[in-house]
Amino acid sequence: MSYQIPISGNRKAAARLVGGVRRKLLRALEASPETNQVDIANKLGVHRSVITRQLKGTSDMTIGRAAEIAWALGYR
């Protein structure tokens, strides 16, 4: 017996967008060896675990937070 949960087209599109943003932020973090998640958290005034969970995808990330992380990595 298989349990499949149907996902609507708009939810799939949203998941792809969020996943793509996370991947790009992680690549940007990897490309900045002088910056780590602790540095980002300190710049944003949050605990390191908040950034870790959001980048791993275990916690929701707003567009605003994605922009803040990009800012902390030096993107404008």
Side-chain angles (χ1 to χ4, degrees):
M1 182 178 241
S2 174
Y3 293 98
Q4 292 185 345
I5 300 171
I7 300 173
S8 63
N10 63 324
R11 299 295 281 170
K12 284 181 186 177
R16 280 193 292 272
L17 174 70
V18 171
V21 169
R22 280 193 176 104
R23 280 189 299 278
K24 287 186 186 244
L25 288 172
L26 285 169
R27 282 190 207 123
L29 180 60
E30 289 173 1
S32 301
E34 68 283 350
T35 304
N36 59 37
Q37 291 181 16
V38 174
D39 297 330
I40 293 170
N42 289 337
K43 285 181 181 179
L44 301 182
V46 298
H47 194 272
R48 169 196 58 77
S49 64
V50 172
I51 300 301
T52 299
R53 286 192 307 265
Q54 289 177 337
L55 289 176
K56 285 175 87 174
T58 57
S59 177
D60 288 339
M61 180 188 318
T62 65
I63 290 175
R65 180 51 57 95
E68 289 175 338
I69 293 171
W71 170 82
L73 288 167
Y75 293 90
R76 302 285 175 244

